[in-house]
Amino acid sequence: MNRFPLPFVLVALLSCYGPVAAQSFVANYDETQVPAYELPDPLRTESGQPVDSPQQWEAQRRGEILDLFRSQVFGRSPDPISVEHRIVGTDRQALGGKAIRRDFDVTLRRGDRSLTFAMLVYSPQTDEPVPAFLGLNFQGNHTIEADPAIRITSSWVRARNDGSTAGNQALAAGRGIRSAAWPVEMIIDRGYGLATIYYGDIDPDFDDGFENGIHPLFADWAESVEPGQRWGSIAGWAYGLSRALDVLDSDPRIDGSRVAVIGHSRLGKTSLWAGASDERFKLVISNNSGCGGAALSRRAFGETVGRINTAFPHWFCRNHHRYNENESELPVDHHQLLALIAPRAVYVASASEDLWADPRGEFLACVHADPVYRLLGTDGLGGEAAPEKMPAADQPLLEGSIGYHLRSGGHALTEYDWSQYLTFADRHL
Ligand code: GCU
């Protein structure tokens, strides 16, 4: 007779893999249960030498950390390729005459394959180039503003039960439904441009073995990369952001040297990776990015490495799965992702009810990135960077080159968040 009933054995076996592990996962939300951990020191080389000059950071240490994030976390991305773009629609009187709205087609071509994504660009009524925010959106460009002239994506979208989609197809009923996350008028009034792209135009967000989206364009190149280090979807989205910056950089209405990359949640993880891997982004904003973004993986608070790789196996590279329930073996942690952005400005925002994203772990990443910012001659977090200095809700830290706030409320990108980003951008762009 079996010692264990068959269903028990099956569940136990399956829980090592895929979906069952995701279902049976229980998040830790108890600070006293956070495991003891030691963070990799951003200011010590892989061979253990102290890094004590900006030159040594630039010439050696930054490259080591960047390479570890490529090989162990996000995967390696191809070198930039040139992009084509054309403007397919212009409204010189958008937002009641305040703004110019342009709708771009941006095309990447390689061999006989190509990928085109739509980029929507708002800019103020001026002929001077303006600083701008660039961010991916979750549901389509038409969802950020209720303007009937904005094209509706034909790419795969997540099916929703609010009438904004029919299966995986976006519908006109979704026009403007995400406008609360994109206060375009406020951004324009402050003198900034805004460029946004539907992330699914770059890579549809489901696990299909990288058959669709941007990855097949580089399939032959990917063959040359060790399988565990091949790029996942986050790296694909970040690559798209860099190609979008290529276009903005050549645009007379936008000042390409003053572009902030912004993203919420999985797209906050993406903006951090875009900003870490492409030094042209002058300011990098992570809104509630959590695990795999600004939060320290070793805390395993809320979402963990194992949970994220199980639920979203396509986001990171395969090597990242080695650290499922094994965070202490990760050769990096996410304070070093922030440090890769130094000395450029970075802003990390958490929300008090968004425990899944580990607000404290996001703040601690800022604290532990601070020494790199200081070494590079900036004032880091502004005041004293210490774990006990985590600000209370709605008390933003805006003085240094690392900005941080804990907004009261849940997981979202809100007008409150944007108003802090605009103030911070006024100082850094
Ligand atoms: C899930 C996921 C998070 C992610 C979030 C989002 O909650 O677990 O890691 O940030 O989706 O992108 O909305």
Side-chain angles (χ1 to χ4, degrees):
M1 244 194 73
N2 285 336
R3 287 188 51 202
F4 298 107
L6 188 61
F8 172 85
V9 175
L10 278 179
V11 168
L13 274 175
L14 278 170
S15 64
C16 306
Y17 303 98
V20 176
Q23 280 159 26
S24 59
F25 174 76
V26 179
N28 172 45
Y29 293 125
D30 179 351
E31 204 52 53
T32 68
Q33 297 303 309
V34 170
Y37 59 86
E38 198 183 325
L39 292 176
D41 186 345
L43 292 180
R44 202 164 270 281
T45 65
E46 289 306 296
S47 63
Q49 301 307 310
V51 176
D52 45 26
S53 70
Q55 293 71 18
Q56 203 187 348
W57 168 262
E58 269 310 316
Q60 184 184 2
R61 185 56 176 148
R62 184 174 187 278
E64 287 181 345
I65 297 173
L66 185 58
D67 201 60
L68 287 169
F69 272 98
R70 287 185 172 135
S71 66
Q72 307 301 314
V73 182
F74 298 106
R76 296 190 186 280
S77 300
D79 288 338
I81 59 168
S82 61
V83 287
E84 299 158 27
H85 71 270
R86 64 194 184 101
I87 297 175
V88 296
T90 301
D91 179 359
R92 305 193 65 92
Q93 296 300 325
L95 306 178
K98 274 189 180 166
I100 301 169
R101 176 179 53 66
R102 291 172 300 156
D103 193 357
F104 289 67
D105 262 349
V106 180
T107 300
L108 280 65
R109 232 179 264 289
R110 205 162 165 276
D112 52 7
R113 292 181 186 261
S114 69
L115 175 91
T116 296
F117 57 81
M119 176 165 71
L120 188 65
V121 181
Y122 284 90
S123 50
Q125 294 285 5
T126 164
D127 288 331
E128 295 298 309
V130 295
F133 292 87
L134 167 64
L136 301 177
N137 66 70
F138 276 92
Q139 284 173 257
N141 294 347
H142 66 291
T143 63
I144 77 147
E145 261 287 314
D147 177 340
I150 299 175
R151 286 183 294 166
I152 296 176
T153 182
S154 56
S155 302
W156 180 97
V157 294
R158 186 166 308 285
R160 308 206 180 234
N161 54 14
D162 56 4
S164 68
T165 64
N168 300 113
Q169 178 61 54
L171 297 177
R175 289 194 181 285
I177 55 167
R178 303 294 298 144
S179 57
W182 298 95
V184 189
E185 212 168 315
M186 168 166 133
I187 296 166
I188 293 291
D189 285 345
R190 295 281 291 263
Y192 292 87
L194 172 69
T196 187
I197 301 156
Y198 169 52
Y199 81 134
D201 273 6
I202 300 170
D203 192 35
D205 191 3
F206 60 91
D207 183 23
D208 73 333
F210 301 119
E211 294 291 319
N212 60 21
I214 195 165
H215 297 89
L217 222 61
F218 296 93
D220 58 327
W221 166 83
E223 289 288 308
S224 69
V225 178
E226 200 239 283
Q229 304 185 10
R230 291 184 187 153
W231 57 338
S233 288
I234 292 177
W237 297 321
Y239 187 86
L241 284 167
S242 285
R243 303 291 68 77
L245 180 57
D246 297 344
V247 174
L248 295 176
D249 204 20
S250 69
D251 187 77
R253 299 202 170 278
I254 304 293
D255 179 349
S257 69
R258 291 187 292 156
V259 173
V261 62
I262 179 168
H264 169 61
S265 208
R266 71 198 65 185
L267 300 178
K269 311 179 207 301
T270 305
S271 66
L272 287 173
W273 183 231
S277 53
D278 187 338
E279 295 181 87
R280 296 173 303 163
F281 288 111
K282 192 71 193 300
L283 161 63
V284 183
I285 302 168
S286 150
N287 193 83
N288 307 175
S289 62
C291 180
L296 295 175
S297 293
R298 278 171 174 71
R299 280 172 47 83
F301 186 101
E303 187 171 30
T304 63
V305 170
R307 171 56 167 77
I308 205 168
N309 284 329
T310 305
F312 306 99
H314 57 297
W315 283 2
F316 300 88
C317 66
R318 288 304 304 179
N319 280 352
H320 193 237
H321 296 231
R322 292 176 179 166
Y323 310 105
N324 294 356
E325 288 78 48
N326 187 26
E327 293 86 355
S328 60
E329 289 302 309
L330 245 175
V332 287
D333 212 318
H334 285 245
H335 59 309
Q336 290 165 305
L337 181 59
L338 305 184
L340 286 173
I341 297 163
R344 294 165 294 140
V346 64
Y347 198 117
V348 173
S350 314
S352 63
E353 290 162 19
D354 186 19
L355 297 183
W356 183 243
D358 187 12
R360 184 162 178 77
E362 296 189 309
F363 176 69
L364 290 176
C366 297
V367 170
H368 295 292
D370 178 89
V372 177
Y373 273 84
R374 304 238 182 208
L375 178 72
L376 299 184
T378 80
D379 48 359
L381 260 169
E384 190 201 344
E388 61 279 10
K389 296 282 179 180
M390 181 162 176
D394 309 321
Q395 306 284 322
L397 298 179
L398 301 170
E399 299 305 320
S401 297
I402 306 174
Y404 178 83
H405 72 245
L406 174 70
R407 173 180 44 74
S408 50
H411 185 70
L413 173 57
T414 70
E415 204 171 295
Y416 175 87
D417 298 316
W418 273 103
S419 70
Q420 313 316 316
Y421 303 150
L422 285 159
T423 303
F424 196 67
D426 288 346
R427 299 187 182 167
H428 295 280
L429 292 183

